[in-house]
Amino acid sequence: MTSYIIEGGKRLEGEVCIDGAKNAVLPIIAATILSGKESIIHNCPNISDLDTMIEILRELGCRVTRNNKTLIIDSSSIDRYEVPDRLVRKMRSSIIVLGALLGRFKQGQVSYPGGCPLGARPIDLHIKAFKDMGACIVEDHGFIICKERQLRGAKIYLDFPSVGATENIMLAGVLAQGTTIIYNAAKEPEIKDLQDFLNAMGAKIKGGGSDTIIIEGVESLDRVEYTVMPDRIIAGTYLIAGAITGGEISLTNVNCSQMRAITSKLREVGCNVCEDKDKIHIRAPQSLKSVDLIRTQPYPGFPTDMQAQFMALLSLAEGTSIILETVFESRYKHAKELIRLGANIQLEERTAIIKGVNQLQGATVEASDLRGGAALVLAGLAAEGVTTVTNTEHIKRGYGSLVSDMSLLGANIYKGENM
Ligand code: UD1
């Protein structure tokens, strides 16, 4: 178990450049399976989820070369169609590989991802859509097995705009016979990035970023070179690092238009936020103000992936704030750790009531998921004394340079010994 040790109380200042987005690069890497040719992907973050995805592709038989932030993937040599259970357990979103395997080989097998720290997280929408497209799916002893069967286009209505299901259907539909239409699709910017990547390979997809996506099946795909979009959640997390430490920081390589739900809440707590195309600047107020309500929603609503970090910030805001988590049933594990640091938080099912305190105090706390772990680091940056965040493996899944970036901005943060 690895840890981060933070001596809190340093005001952050300076500028950092934001990495490529985890939630864009993972489906894009899965999509490289479809072409059977070489794909070159730039701006890949140095995160452990990417390592897992590379391991999956190698298990399937792909040749993968990594050169700093560039990946070269040759999927011509795939000769296996099963994703090993240990890799699905490591990263739930490996289910995304199934759509690509089905799309190219008309068959595939993954183990059932099961529950996770955020709740049950079913995959019924993925399975139902594959069946609607003609796939023959058997669920057997914890495995989802898709037998060889040609896919055909279908009209699919999603009961909920699931990000993963939308991406999986796009991947399965690219090489299917006929046209697939997804209604009530997820509108997250990462979906549009996947569409742009697939179209650059020769796919015919329209509507990514809106609630209706139309995928016209094509016969084959080409070699591609592509640069992944910046990570809006890392950018949001870093803006909070500036805000929670009373600091003033700038971020480059961001897409400001994708961050409106986050920046509007930061303005509500009193921060001064200036946006300039691919750059964003934040100056913290003298004292933070509470917000009436943060309600997590699918994009363009407030992202559930920023809920924990805002809870850390609101712990130090004057007055009472309310958070309502509507996307995941069980995404408040960080609350009890924030309470250890001195926060005043009450939980009522999906609602969190946060009464701001004047100061947090350093303590040893445990990260239990990716964003919750990041929230503990943020709280530690503001807390008096030393905070040790343990189990930082969770954080490394999605933040490739958190420690070096925070150090660059002036934080006293170190990697601890393995425990
Ligand atoms: C993706 C993101 C994750 C983010 C989430 C919501 C990636 C790799 N991960 O996860 O960071 O927090 O979107 O923005 O992109 N659901 C069902 N049945 C299904 C699928 C989903 O009921 O078949 C439910 C889930 O349980 C959850 C909600 O839909 O309550 C949203 O899940 P979804 O959008 O699918 O999230 P992921 O794609 O898993």
Side-chain angles (χ1 to χ4, degrees), residues 22-23 26-27 92-93 118 120-127 160-165 167 186 188 304-305 326-329 331 371:
K22 167 177 98 68
N23 288 355
L26 296 177
R92 201 190 170 281
S93 49
L118 312 188
R121 290 185 90 174
I123 52 160
D124 54 317
L125 300 173
H126 304 237
I127 306 272
F160 183 89
S162 154
V163 175
E167 292 167 343
E188 268 68 1
T304 173
D305 283 354
T326 75
V327 179
F328 288 110
E329 76 214 52
R331 201 171 194 176
R371 307 300 172 188

PDB file of all heavy atoms in Angstrom, residues 22-23 26-27 92-93 118 120-127 160-165 167 186 188 304-305 326-329 331 371, ligand 1:
ATOM      1  N   LYS A  22      -8.323  10.473 -18.993  1.00  0.00           N
ATOM      2  CA  LYS A  22      -8.484   9.028 -18.749  1.00  0.00           C
ATOM      3  C   LYS A  22      -9.734   8.483 -19.430  1.00  0.00           C
ATOM      4  O   LYS A  22      -9.683   7.472 -20.129  1.00  0.00           O
ATOM      5  CB  LYS A  22      -8.579   8.772 -17.233  1.00  0.00           C
ATOM      6  CG  LYS A  22      -9.046   7.386 -16.867  1.00  0.00           C
ATOM      7  CD  LYS A  22      -9.056   7.155 -15.375  1.00  0.00           C
ATOM      8  CE  LYS A  22     -10.377   7.331 -14.711  1.00  0.00           C
ATOM      9  NZ  LYS A  22     -11.427   6.345 -15.025  1.00  0.00           N
ATOM     10  N   ASN A  23     -10.856   9.165 -19.226  1.00  0.00           N
ATOM     11  CA  ASN A  23     -12.121   8.619 -19.731  1.00  0.00           C
ATOM     12  C   ASN A  23     -12.261   8.741 -21.248  1.00  0.00           C
ATOM     13  O   ASN A  23     -13.196   8.190 -21.820  1.00  0.00           O
ATOM     14  CB  ASN A  23     -13.314   9.292 -19.030  1.00  0.00           C
ATOM     15  CG  ASN A  23     -13.428   8.837 -17.588  1.00  0.00           C
ATOM     16  OD1 ASN A  23     -12.678   7.967 -17.139  1.00  0.00           O
ATOM     17  ND2 ASN A  23     -14.341   9.421 -16.849  1.00  0.00           N
ATOM     18  N   LEU A  26      -9.212   5.591 -22.563  1.00  0.00           N
ATOM     19  CA  LEU A  26      -9.530   4.163 -22.376  1.00  0.00           C
ATOM     20  C   LEU A  26     -10.409   3.622 -23.499  1.00  0.00           C
ATOM     21  O   LEU A  26     -10.058   2.627 -24.138  1.00  0.00           O
ATOM     22  CB  LEU A  26     -10.150   3.912 -20.998  1.00  0.00           C
ATOM     23  CG  LEU A  26      -9.230   4.202 -19.796  1.00  0.00           C
ATOM     24  CD1 LEU A  26      -9.986   3.995 -18.486  1.00  0.00           C
ATOM     25  CD2 LEU A  26      -7.986   3.321 -19.824  1.00  0.00           C
ATOM     26  N   PRO A  27     -11.558   4.286 -23.804  1.00  0.00           N
ATOM     27  CA  PRO A  27     -12.339   3.769 -24.954  1.00  0.00           C
ATOM     28  C   PRO A  27     -11.606   3.902 -26.280  1.00  0.00           C
ATOM     29  O   PRO A  27     -11.782   3.061 -27.174  1.00  0.00           O
ATOM     30  CB  PRO A  27     -13.625   4.606 -24.933  1.00  0.00           C
ATOM     31  CG  PRO A  27     -13.375   5.746 -24.026  1.00  0.00           C
ATOM     32  CD  PRO A  27     -12.294   5.336 -23.079  1.00  0.00           C
ATOM     33  N   ARG A  92     -12.839  -1.804 -13.863  1.00  0.00           N
ATOM     34  CA  ARG A  92     -14.205  -2.123 -14.249  1.00  0.00           C
ATOM     35  C   ARG A  92     -14.506  -1.745 -15.691  1.00  0.00           C
ATOM     36  O   ARG A  92     -15.226  -2.442 -16.402  1.00  0.00           O
ATOM     37  CB  ARG A  92     -15.123  -1.358 -13.293  1.00  0.00           C
ATOM     38  CG  ARG A  92     -16.466  -1.908 -13.216  1.00  0.00           C
ATOM     39  CD  ARG A  92     -17.406  -1.031 -12.482  1.00  0.00           C
ATOM     40  NE  ARG A  92     -18.730  -1.576 -12.692  1.00  0.00           N
ATOM     41  CZ  ARG A  92     -19.419  -1.380 -13.782  1.00  0.00           C
ATOM     42  NH1 ARG A  92     -18.947  -0.606 -14.718  1.00  0.00           N
ATOM     43  NH2 ARG A  92     -20.604  -1.931 -13.917  1.00  0.00           N
ATOM     44  N   SER A  93     -13.919  -0.647 -16.138  1.00  0.00           N
ATOM     45  CA  SER A  93     -14.268  -0.166 -17.482  1.00  0.00           C
ATOM     46  C   SER A  93     -13.643  -1.023 -18.588  1.00  0.00           C
ATOM     47  O   SER A  93     -13.796  -0.705 -19.765  1.00  0.00           O
ATOM     48  CB  SER A  93     -13.906   1.303 -17.644  1.00  0.00           C
ATOM     49  OG  SER A  93     -12.604   1.550 -17.228  1.00  0.00           O
ATOM     50  N   LEU A 118     -18.391   2.264  -5.764  1.00  0.00           N
ATOM     51  CA  LEU A 118     -19.439   3.272  -6.002  1.00  0.00           C
ATOM     52  C   LEU A 118     -20.834   2.668  -5.986  1.00  0.00           C
ATOM     53  O   LEU A 118     -21.820   3.355  -6.213  1.00  0.00           O
ATOM     54  CB  LEU A 118     -19.221   3.981  -7.350  1.00  0.00           C
ATOM     55  CG  LEU A 118     -17.823   4.503  -7.657  1.00  0.00           C
ATOM     56  CD1 LEU A 118     -17.848   5.331  -8.934  1.00  0.00           C
ATOM     57  CD2 LEU A 118     -17.302   5.360  -6.512  1.00  0.00           C
ATOM     58  N   ALA A 120     -23.481  -0.943  -7.016  1.00  0.00           N
ATOM     59  CA  ALA A 120     -23.633  -2.185  -7.789  1.00  0.00           C
ATOM     60  C   ALA A 120     -23.093  -2.043  -9.220  1.00  0.00           C
ATOM     61  O   ALA A 120     -22.518  -2.967  -9.765  1.00  0.00           O
ATOM     62  CB  ALA A 120     -25.100  -2.576  -7.828  1.00  0.00           C
ATOM     63  N   ARG A 121     -23.286  -0.932  -9.842  1.00  0.00           N
ATOM     64  CA  ARG A 121     -22.864  -0.643 -11.221  1.00  0.00           C
ATOM     65  C   ARG A 121     -23.184  -1.778 -12.193  1.00  0.00           C
ATOM     66  O   ARG A 121     -22.269  -2.460 -12.694  1.00  0.00           O
ATOM     67  CB  ARG A 121     -21.372  -0.291 -11.262  1.00  0.00           C
ATOM     68  CG  ARG A 121     -21.096   1.051 -10.630  1.00  0.00           C
ATOM     69  CD  ARG A 121     -19.678   1.472 -10.753  1.00  0.00           C
ATOM     70  NE  ARG A 121     -19.404   2.244 -11.957  1.00  0.00           N
ATOM     71  CZ  ARG A 121     -18.244   2.812 -12.197  1.00  0.00           C
ATOM     72  NH1 ARG A 121     -17.262   2.707 -11.330  1.00  0.00           N
ATOM     73  NH2 ARG A 121     -18.052   3.500 -13.297  1.00  0.00           N
ATOM     74  N   PRO A 122     -24.450  -1.966 -12.489  1.00  0.00           N
ATOM     75  CA  PRO A 122     -24.820  -3.029 -13.432  1.00  0.00           C
ATOM     76  C   PRO A 122     -24.372  -2.716 -14.858  1.00  0.00           C
ATOM     77  O   PRO A 122     -23.998  -1.578 -15.156  1.00  0.00           O
ATOM     78  CB  PRO A 122     -26.349  -3.040 -13.353  1.00  0.00           C
ATOM     79  CG  PRO A 122     -26.740  -1.701 -12.853  1.00  0.00           C
ATOM     80  CD  PRO A 122     -25.597  -1.191 -12.016  1.00  0.00           C
ATOM     81  N   ILE A 123     -24.417  -3.727 -15.728  1.00  0.00           N
ATOM     82  CA  ILE A 123     -24.075  -3.514 -17.141  1.00  0.00           C
ATOM     83  C   ILE A 123     -25.213  -3.995 -18.042  1.00  0.00           C
ATOM     84  O   ILE A 123     -25.006  -4.346 -19.192  1.00  0.00           O
ATOM     85  CB  ILE A 123     -22.741  -4.207 -17.527  1.00  0.00           C
ATOM     86  CG1 ILE A 123     -22.760  -5.673 -17.109  1.00  0.00           C
ATOM     87  CG2 ILE A 123     -21.539  -3.501 -16.978  1.00  0.00           C
ATOM     88  CD1 ILE A 123     -21.747  -6.505 -17.859  1.00  0.00           C
ATOM     89  N   ASP A 124     -26.415  -3.979 -17.461  1.00  0.00           N
ATOM     90  CA  ASP A 124     -27.575  -4.468 -18.215  1.00  0.00           C
ATOM     91  C   ASP A 124     -27.816  -3.698 -19.510  1.00  0.00           C
ATOM     92  O   ASP A 124     -28.225  -4.275 -20.523  1.00  0.00           O
ATOM     93  CB  ASP A 124     -28.828  -4.407 -17.324  1.00  0.00           C
ATOM     94  CG  ASP A 124     -29.049  -3.022 -16.723  1.00  0.00           C
ATOM     95  OD1 ASP A 124     -28.068  -2.407 -16.266  1.00  0.00           O
ATOM     96  OD2 ASP A 124     -30.195  -2.546 -16.723  1.00  0.00           O
ATOM     97  N   LEU A 125     -27.542  -2.403 -19.507  1.00  0.00           N
ATOM     98  CA  LEU A 125     -27.793  -1.599 -20.720  1.00  0.00           C
ATOM     99  C   LEU A 125     -26.850  -2.023 -21.856  1.00  0.00           C
ATOM    100  O   LEU A 125     -27.244  -2.045 -23.023  1.00  0.00           O
ATOM    101  CB  LEU A 125     -27.615  -0.104 -20.422  1.00  0.00           C
ATOM    102  CG  LEU A 125     -28.541   0.474 -19.340  1.00  0.00           C
ATOM    103  CD1 LEU A 125     -28.169   1.914 -19.001  1.00  0.00           C
ATOM    104  CD2 LEU A 125     -29.998   0.401 -19.807  1.00  0.00           C
ATOM    105  N   HIS A 126     -25.600  -2.366 -21.504  1.00  0.00           N
ATOM    106  CA  HIS A 126     -24.633  -2.838 -22.508  1.00  0.00           C
ATOM    107  C   HIS A 126     -25.144  -4.136 -23.143  1.00  0.00           C
ATOM    108  O   HIS A 126     -25.192  -4.298 -24.352  1.00  0.00           O
ATOM    109  CB  HIS A 126     -23.258  -3.139 -21.883  1.00  0.00           C
ATOM    110  CG  HIS A 126     -22.631  -2.011 -21.127  1.00  0.00           C
ATOM    111  ND1 HIS A 126     -21.380  -1.515 -21.445  1.00  0.00           N
ATOM    112  CD2 HIS A 126     -23.041  -1.274 -20.078  1.00  0.00           C
ATOM    113  CE1 HIS A 126     -21.072  -0.545 -20.607  1.00  0.00           C
ATOM    114  NE2 HIS A 126     -22.050  -0.384 -19.762  1.00  0.00           N
ATOM    115  N   ILE A 127     -25.513  -5.085 -22.245  1.00  0.00           N
ATOM    116  CA  ILE A 127     -25.902  -6.424 -22.704  1.00  0.00           C
ATOM    117  C   ILE A 127     -27.162  -6.363 -23.571  1.00  0.00           C
ATOM    118  O   ILE A 127     -27.238  -6.984 -24.632  1.00  0.00           O
ATOM    119  CB  ILE A 127     -26.187  -7.346 -21.476  1.00  0.00           C
ATOM    120  CG1 ILE A 127     -25.002  -7.351 -20.527  1.00  0.00           C
ATOM    121  CG2 ILE A 127     -26.630  -8.738 -21.892  1.00  0.00           C
ATOM    122  CD1 ILE A 127     -23.953  -8.345 -20.794  1.00  0.00           C
ATOM    123  N   PHE A 160     -31.033   5.021 -19.339  1.00  0.00           N
ATOM    124  CA  PHE A 160     -30.237   6.056 -18.662  1.00  0.00           C
ATOM    125  C   PHE A 160     -29.076   6.373 -19.610  1.00  0.00           C
ATOM    126  O   PHE A 160     -28.536   5.459 -20.246  1.00  0.00           O
ATOM    127  CB  PHE A 160     -29.713   5.510 -17.318  1.00  0.00           C
ATOM    128  CG  PHE A 160     -28.945   6.535 -16.526  1.00  0.00           C
ATOM    129  CD1 PHE A 160     -29.612   7.376 -15.638  1.00  0.00           C
ATOM    130  CD2 PHE A 160     -27.577   6.689 -16.688  1.00  0.00           C
ATOM    131  CE1 PHE A 160     -28.907   8.345 -14.919  1.00  0.00           C
ATOM    132  CE2 PHE A 160     -26.875   7.656 -15.972  1.00  0.00           C
ATOM    133  CZ  PHE A 160     -27.548   8.485 -15.084  1.00  0.00           C
ATOM    134  N   PRO A 161     -28.671   7.646 -19.714  1.00  0.00           N
ATOM    135  CA  PRO A 161     -27.588   7.973 -20.652  1.00  0.00           C
ATOM    136  C   PRO A 161     -26.221   7.504 -20.126  1.00  0.00           C
ATOM    137  O   PRO A 161     -25.377   8.319 -19.736  1.00  0.00           O
ATOM    138  CB  PRO A 161     -27.669   9.497 -20.787  1.00  0.00           C
ATOM    139  CG  PRO A 161     -28.320   9.962 -19.533  1.00  0.00           C
ATOM    140  CD  PRO A 161     -29.235   8.861 -19.076  1.00  0.00           C
ATOM    141  N   SER A 162     -26.030   6.202 -20.108  1.00  0.00           N
ATOM    142  CA  SER A 162     -24.792   5.619 -19.583  1.00  0.00           C
ATOM    143  C   SER A 162     -23.618   5.900 -20.531  1.00  0.00           C
ATOM    144  O   SER A 162     -23.709   5.658 -21.736  1.00  0.00           O
ATOM    145  CB  SER A 162     -24.984   4.105 -19.429  1.00  0.00           C
ATOM    146  OG  SER A 162     -23.748   3.427 -19.513  1.00  0.00           O
ATOM    147  N   VAL A 163     -22.525   6.388 -19.958  1.00  0.00           N
ATOM    148  CA  VAL A 163     -21.331   6.708 -20.740  1.00  0.00           C
ATOM    149  C   VAL A 163     -20.764   5.426 -21.351  1.00  0.00           C
ATOM    150  O   VAL A 163     -20.555   5.322 -22.562  1.00  0.00           O
ATOM    151  CB  VAL A 163     -20.265   7.394 -19.840  1.00  0.00           C
ATOM    152  CG1 VAL A 163     -18.970   7.617 -20.601  1.00  0.00           C
ATOM    153  CG2 VAL A 163     -20.807   8.707 -19.286  1.00  0.00           C
ATOM    154  N   GLY A 164     -20.543   4.413 -20.505  1.00  0.00           N
ATOM    155  CA  GLY A 164     -19.929   3.172 -20.970  1.00  0.00           C
ATOM    156  C   GLY A 164     -20.790   2.457 -21.999  1.00  0.00           C
ATOM    157  O   GLY A 164     -20.283   1.945 -23.001  1.00  0.00           O
ATOM    158  N   ALA A 165     -22.120   2.425 -21.769  1.00  0.00           N
ATOM    159  CA  ALA A 165     -23.003   1.729 -22.716  1.00  0.00           C
ATOM    160  C   ALA A 165     -22.998   2.464 -24.061  1.00  0.00           C
ATOM    161  O   ALA A 165     -22.922   1.830 -25.117  1.00  0.00           O
ATOM    162  CB  ALA A 165     -24.415   1.631 -22.150  1.00  0.00           C
ATOM    163  N   GLU A 167     -20.609   4.196 -25.364  1.00  0.00           N
ATOM    164  CA  GLU A 167     -19.326   3.925 -26.040  1.00  0.00           C
ATOM    165  C   GLU A 167     -19.271   2.498 -26.578  1.00  0.00           C
ATOM    166  O   GLU A 167     -18.811   2.259 -27.698  1.00  0.00           O
ATOM    167  CB  GLU A 167     -18.174   4.178 -25.062  1.00  0.00           C
ATOM    168  CG  GLU A 167     -18.048   5.648 -24.723  1.00  0.00           C
ATOM    169  CD  GLU A 167     -17.136   5.944 -23.539  1.00  0.00           C
ATOM    170  OE1 GLU A 167     -16.820   5.018 -22.754  1.00  0.00           O
ATOM    171  OE2 GLU A 167     -16.751   7.106 -23.382  1.00  0.00           O
ATOM    172  N   ALA A 186     -25.392   9.157 -23.870  1.00  0.00           N
ATOM    173  CA  ALA A 186     -24.627  10.049 -22.989  1.00  0.00           C
ATOM    174  C   ALA A 186     -24.014  11.157 -23.861  1.00  0.00           C
ATOM    175  O   ALA A 186     -23.636  10.914 -25.004  1.00  0.00           O
ATOM    176  CB  ALA A 186     -23.535   9.263 -22.276  1.00  0.00           C
ATOM    177  N   GLU A 188     -21.388  13.207 -22.781  1.00  0.00           N
ATOM    178  CA  GLU A 188     -20.089  13.602 -22.241  1.00  0.00           C
ATOM    179  C   GLU A 188     -19.106  13.931 -23.375  1.00  0.00           C
ATOM    180  O   GLU A 188     -19.140  13.279 -24.435  1.00  0.00           O
ATOM    181  CB  GLU A 188     -19.515  12.457 -21.387  1.00  0.00           C
ATOM    182  CG  GLU A 188     -19.863  12.512 -19.904  1.00  0.00           C
ATOM    183  CD  GLU A 188     -21.339  12.266 -19.589  1.00  0.00           C
ATOM    184  OE1 GLU A 188     -22.128  12.024 -20.514  1.00  0.00           O
ATOM    185  OE2 GLU A 188     -21.696  12.341 -18.398  1.00  0.00           O
ATOM    186  N   THR A 304     -20.489  13.752 -11.498  1.00  0.00           N
ATOM    187  CA  THR A 304     -20.317  12.952 -10.276  1.00  0.00           C
ATOM    188  C   THR A 304     -18.822  12.786  -9.945  1.00  0.00           C
ATOM    189  O   THR A 304     -18.452  12.670  -8.781  1.00  0.00           O
ATOM    190  CB  THR A 304     -21.017  11.577 -10.414  1.00  0.00           C
ATOM    191  OG1 THR A 304     -20.689  10.788  -9.283  1.00  0.00           O
ATOM    192  CG2 THR A 304     -20.626  10.830 -11.669  1.00  0.00           C
ATOM    193  N   ASP A 305     -17.974  12.818 -10.974  1.00  0.00           N
ATOM    194  CA  ASP A 305     -16.534  12.658 -10.746  1.00  0.00           C
ATOM    195  C   ASP A 305     -15.899  13.875 -10.056  1.00  0.00           C
ATOM    196  O   ASP A 305     -14.712  13.850  -9.753  1.00  0.00           O
ATOM    197  CB  ASP A 305     -15.806  12.392 -12.077  1.00  0.00           C
ATOM    198  CG  ASP A 305     -15.997  10.967 -12.548  1.00  0.00           C
ATOM    199  OD1 ASP A 305     -16.581  10.159 -11.810  1.00  0.00           O
ATOM    200  OD2 ASP A 305     -15.553  10.655 -13.676  1.00  0.00           O
ATOM    201  N   THR A 326     -26.883  11.852  -7.595  1.00  0.00           N
ATOM    202  CA  THR A 326     -27.965  11.127  -8.272  1.00  0.00           C
ATOM    203  C   THR A 326     -27.450  10.051  -9.229  1.00  0.00           C
ATOM    204  O   THR A 326     -28.226   9.249  -9.720  1.00  0.00           O
ATOM    205  CB  THR A 326     -28.878  12.081  -9.096  1.00  0.00           C
ATOM    206  OG1 THR A 326     -28.202  12.476 -10.277  1.00  0.00           O
ATOM    207  CG2 THR A 326     -29.287  13.307  -8.305  1.00  0.00           C
ATOM    208  N   VAL A 327     -26.146  10.043  -9.534  1.00  0.00           N
ATOM    209  CA  VAL A 327     -25.655   9.117 -10.569  1.00  0.00           C
ATOM    210  C   VAL A 327     -25.279   7.755  -9.974  1.00  0.00           C
ATOM    211  O   VAL A 327     -25.672   6.716 -10.495  1.00  0.00           O
ATOM    212  CB  VAL A 327     -24.468   9.732 -11.349  1.00  0.00           C
ATOM    213  CG1 VAL A 327     -23.952   8.750 -12.402  1.00  0.00           C
ATOM    214  CG2 VAL A 327     -24.881  11.042 -12.005  1.00  0.00           C
ATOM    215  N   PHE A 328     -24.505   7.774  -8.887  1.00  0.00           N
ATOM    216  CA  PHE A 328     -24.093   6.506  -8.261  1.00  0.00           C
ATOM    217  C   PHE A 328     -24.715   6.389  -6.873  1.00  0.00           C
ATOM    218  O   PHE A 328     -24.766   7.365  -6.124  1.00  0.00           O
ATOM    219  CB  PHE A 328     -22.565   6.410  -8.172  1.00  0.00           C
ATOM    220  CG  PHE A 328     -21.926   6.196  -9.515  1.00  0.00           C
ATOM    221  CD1 PHE A 328     -21.170   7.199 -10.109  1.00  0.00           C
ATOM    222  CD2 PHE A 328     -22.098   5.008 -10.206  1.00  0.00           C
ATOM    223  CE1 PHE A 328     -20.590   7.009 -11.358  1.00  0.00           C
ATOM    224  CE2 PHE A 328     -21.525   4.809 -11.452  1.00  0.00           C
ATOM    225  CZ  PHE A 328     -20.768   5.810 -12.031  1.00  0.00           C
ATOM    226  N   GLU A 329     -25.149   5.180  -6.526  1.00  0.00           N
ATOM    227  CA  GLU A 329     -25.915   5.008  -5.294  1.00  0.00           C
ATOM    228  C   GLU A 329     -25.060   5.113  -4.035  1.00  0.00           C
ATOM    229  O   GLU A 329     -25.541   5.389  -2.960  1.00  0.00           O
ATOM    230  CB  GLU A 329     -26.624   3.649  -5.323  1.00  0.00           C
ATOM    231  CG  GLU A 329     -25.707   2.494  -5.042  1.00  0.00           C
ATOM    232  CD  GLU A 329     -26.075   1.235  -5.813  1.00  0.00           C
ATOM    233  OE1 GLU A 329     -26.231   1.296  -7.028  1.00  0.00           O
ATOM    234  OE2 GLU A 329     -26.164   0.195  -5.179  1.00  0.00           O
ATOM    235  N   ARG A 331     -21.634   6.776  -3.297  1.00  0.00           N
ATOM    236  CA  ARG A 331     -20.397   7.459  -3.639  1.00  0.00           C
ATOM    237  C   ARG A 331     -19.994   8.464  -2.563  1.00  0.00           C
ATOM    238  O   ARG A 331     -19.549   9.583  -2.871  1.00  0.00           O
ATOM    239  CB  ARG A 331     -20.535   8.159  -4.989  1.00  0.00           C
ATOM    240  CG  ARG A 331     -19.182   8.433  -5.596  1.00  0.00           C
ATOM    241  CD  ARG A 331     -19.186   8.922  -7.004  1.00  0.00           C
ATOM    242  NE  ARG A 331     -17.821   8.798  -7.514  1.00  0.00           N
ATOM    243  CZ  ARG A 331     -17.469   9.066  -8.744  1.00  0.00           C
ATOM    244  NH1 ARG A 331     -18.348   9.484  -9.618  1.00  0.00           N
ATOM    245  NH2 ARG A 331     -16.213   8.925  -9.124  1.00  0.00           N
ATOM    246  N   ARG A 371     -11.664   9.278  -7.116  1.00  0.00           N
ATOM    247  CA  ARG A 371     -11.967  10.701  -6.881  1.00  0.00           C
ATOM    248  C   ARG A 371     -12.056  11.012  -5.389  1.00  0.00           C
ATOM    249  O   ARG A 371     -11.684  12.091  -4.960  1.00  0.00           O
ATOM    250  CB  ARG A 371     -13.266  11.095  -7.580  1.00  0.00           C
ATOM    251  CG  ARG A 371     -13.315  10.742  -9.060  1.00  0.00           C
ATOM    252  CD  ARG A 371     -12.225  11.403  -9.868  1.00  0.00           C
ATOM    253  NE  ARG A 371     -12.211  10.862 -11.232  1.00  0.00           N
ATOM    254  CZ  ARG A 371     -11.268  11.130 -12.126  1.00  0.00           C
ATOM    255  NH1 ARG A 371     -10.243  11.897 -11.816  1.00  0.00           N
ATOM    256  NH2 ARG A 371     -11.315  10.602 -13.325  1.00  0.00           N
TER     257      ARG A 371
HETATM  258  C1  UD1 B   1     -18.153   6.622 -16.687  1.00  0.00           C
HETATM  259  C2  UD1 B   1     -16.832   7.165 -16.251  1.00  0.00           C
HETATM  260  C3  UD1 B   1     -16.847   7.494 -14.780  1.00  0.00           C
HETATM  261  C4  UD1 B   1     -18.021   8.415 -14.452  1.00  0.00           C
HETATM  262  C5  UD1 B   1     -19.325   7.861 -15.001  1.00  0.00           C
HETATM  263  C6  UD1 B   1     -20.498   8.820 -14.860  1.00  0.00           C
HETATM  264  C7  UD1 B   1     -15.238   6.091 -17.726  1.00  0.00           C
HETATM  265  C8  UD1 B   1     -14.119   5.123 -17.871  1.00  0.00           C
HETATM  266  N1  UD1 B   1     -15.790   6.173 -16.517  1.00  0.00           N
HETATM  267  O1  UD1 B   1     -18.380   5.401 -15.975  1.00  0.00           O
HETATM  268  O2  UD1 B   1     -15.618   8.138 -14.437  1.00  0.00           O
HETATM  269  O3  UD1 B   1     -18.142   8.544 -13.058  1.00  0.00           O
HETATM  270  O4  UD1 B   1     -19.174   7.566 -16.411  1.00  0.00           O
HETATM  271  O5  UD1 B   1     -20.203  10.034 -15.461  1.00  0.00           O
HETATM  272  O6  UD1 B   1     -15.592   6.793 -18.653  1.00  0.00           O
HETATM  273  N2  UD1 B   1     -25.904   1.944 -15.301  1.00  0.00           N
HETATM  274  C9  UD1 B   1     -26.873   0.957 -15.322  1.00  0.00           C
HETATM  275  N3  UD1 B   1     -26.753  -0.042 -16.258  1.00  0.00           N
HETATM  276  C10 UD1 B   1     -25.749  -0.067 -17.176  1.00  0.00           C
HETATM  277  C11 UD1 B   1     -24.779   0.954 -17.153  1.00  0.00           C
HETATM  278  C12 UD1 B   1     -24.880   1.947 -16.198  1.00  0.00           C
HETATM  279  O7  UD1 B   1     -27.777   0.958 -14.509  1.00  0.00           O
HETATM  280  O8  UD1 B   1     -25.714  -0.998 -17.992  1.00  0.00           O
HETATM  281  C13 UD1 B   1     -25.983   3.010 -14.265  1.00  0.00           C
HETATM  282  C14 UD1 B   1     -24.776   2.951 -13.302  1.00  0.00           C
HETATM  283  O9  UD1 B   1     -24.983   2.027 -12.282  1.00  0.00           O
HETATM  284  C15 UD1 B   1     -24.743   4.379 -12.800  1.00  0.00           C
HETATM  285  C16 UD1 B   1     -25.193   5.190 -14.016  1.00  0.00           C
HETATM  286  O10 UD1 B   1     -25.850   4.276 -14.882  1.00  0.00           O
HETATM  287  O11 UD1 B   1     -25.646   4.548 -11.757  1.00  0.00           O
HETATM  288  C17 UD1 B   1     -24.060   5.868 -14.769  1.00  0.00           C
HETATM  289  O12 UD1 B   1     -23.121   4.923 -15.179  1.00  0.00           O
HETATM  290  P1  UD1 B   1     -22.264   5.076 -16.517  1.00  0.00           P
HETATM  291  O13 UD1 B   1     -22.571   6.381 -17.171  1.00  0.00           O
HETATM  292  O14 UD1 B   1     -22.426   3.849 -17.309  1.00  0.00           O
HETATM  293  O15 UD1 B   1     -20.799   5.134 -15.932  1.00  0.00           O
HETATM  294  P2  UD1 B   1     -19.526   4.394 -16.461  1.00  0.00           P
HETATM  295  O16 UD1 B   1     -19.527   4.379 -17.950  1.00  0.00           O
HETATM  296  O17 UD1 B   1     -19.352   3.118 -15.733  1.00  0.00           O
END
